Amino acid sequence: QQQVKQSPQSLIVQKGGIPIINCAYENTAFDYFPWYQQFPGKGPALLIAIRPDVSEKKEGRFTISFNKSAKQFSLHIMDSQPGDSATYFCAALNAGNNRKLIWGLGTSLAVNP
Amino acid sequence: SQTIHQWPATLVQPVGSPLSLECTVEGTSNPNLYWYRQAAGRGLQLLFYSVGIGQISSEVPQNLSASRPQDRQFILSSKKLLLSDSGFYLCAWNRGGYGYTFGSGTRLTVV
């Protein structure tokens, strides 16, 4: 049973575009929602994260929008660059469940020059 | 600062051979440790996690086992590899906080 559903599976945008990746969750006990960025052959790296008590968090060109009532959150990449081409994973964590992250299946993003 | 080391980076092993992948964390104590597997172009599958020495929880039945002989050492093993064990193996840790830090991974190819 997949508890975090991520879409789209792949995404292609032109340089300067704003790719948006969406995630939906089911478990209302989740209290931490991170996004990870993974380049080929490397381990995922934490990009940005949000707690459910805020609706938006911005770090540089990356923004998380969070809709608690809809149980959805999304990642926006402003002014995307070819160097942003990577796989992005959303995840959710229930702090009371041994801090195990529940992962989305990932979105492969390609930013064309 | 905390660092996580994972080796080897790549490994090619014949079917039926044993496996031992090692992960160590520096700069912290009593971390939670995790082994993940990632098939090509796929998501992350949690294999094992450990909250302390000798404490291992298995997430999925499989041909692999894990051990934590020391506080900051996590080992993934197999007695006899299968073709289906091929993949990208990732070790990760966290402690108290929410963020996970991943190692650089081991690309295992079983031939």
Side-chain angles (χ1 to χ4, degrees), chain B:
Chain B
S1 63
Q2 301 93 356
T3 56
I4 180 169
H5 301 281
Q6 198 179 333
W7 67 92
T10 59
L11 192 58
V12 179
Q13 292 284 98
V15 169
S17 64
L19 173 73
S20 181
L21 302 181
E22 187 164 342
C23 171
T24 59
V25 180
E26 295 179 356
T28 188
S29 60
N30 196 30
N32 298 322
L33 296 170
Y34 307 85
W35 276 112
Y36 281 86
R37 178 169 59 200
Q38 187 174 31
R42 303 291 296 277
L44 294 154
Q45 181 186 33
L46 179 62
L47 302 176
F48 302 95
Y49 70 93
S50 171
V51 299
I53 296 174
Q55 300 179 59
I56 308 296
S57 295
S58 175
E59 288 294 297
V60 293
Q62 58 202 315
N63 185 42
L64 302 168
S65 62
S67 62
R68 186 170 176 174
Q70 300 181 44
D71 181 46
R72 292 171 290 177
Q73 183 185 31
F74 205 22
I75 297 173
L76 183 69
S77 304
S78 174
K79 293 182 179 179
K80 290 185 177 181
L81 283 169
L82 306 172
L83 286 173
S84 58
D85 292 324
S86 294
F88 191 44
Y89 288 83
L90 289 156
C91 181
W93 77 274
N94 74 348
R95 181 179 182 275
Y98 291 79
Y100 280 32
T101 301
F102 282 86
S104 54
T106 295
R107 174 76 59 193
L108 172 66
T109 303
V110 182
V111 296

Side-chain angles (χ1 to χ4, degrees), chain A residues 36 38 98-101 103, chain B residues 34 36 38 49 59 96 100:
Chain A
Y36 282 78
Q38 184 181 27
N98 287 321
R99 301 194 183 283
K100 288 190 294 182
L101 279 173
W103 295 86
Chain B
Y34 307 85
Y36 281 86
Q38 187 174 31
Y49 70 93
E59 288 294 297
Y100 280 32

